[in-house]
Amino acid sequence: MSDDVEADLREQFTDAFSGADFPVSSQMDLVPALPQGPGTKFESGDFSVTAMELAAKLGSSQDFPYEDVETLVDDVIEGLKDNGMI
């Protein structure tokens, strides 16, 4: 995975999740912030995933509650790496 893909995804996740009412205590707290709800798609290069797929694949990688978007996005990126998705 290129650094460009990671940087692009980091920006997309930050934009999408920054509208959430932090702190968030579960994935469901993030849904209202997403432009297309659970169907919101994140894409970069050959990578493509919806918010719903992301939640299903990374549920065990996340450490709720999150106090800010940066920490949440850091964990999402790490979860994607740990699961070999990026």
Side-chain angles (χ1 to χ4, degrees), residues 9 13 17 26-27 30 42 47 49-64 66 71-86:
L9 290 172
F13 294 145
F17 298 133
S26 74
Q27 294 174 340
L30 299 169
F42 303 100
F47 178 85
V49 68
T50 65
M52 183 172 284
E53 292 168 329
L54 197 62
K57 293 178 181 184
L58 299 184
S60 62
S61 301
Q62 296 179 306
D63 187 22
F64 287 96
Y66 288 98
T71 308
L72 169 65
V73 171
D74 286 347
D75 276 4
V76 170
I77 295 292
E78 283 304 309
L80 291 171
K81 288 179 180 179
D82 290 349
N83 286 296
M85 295 174 69
I86 60 171

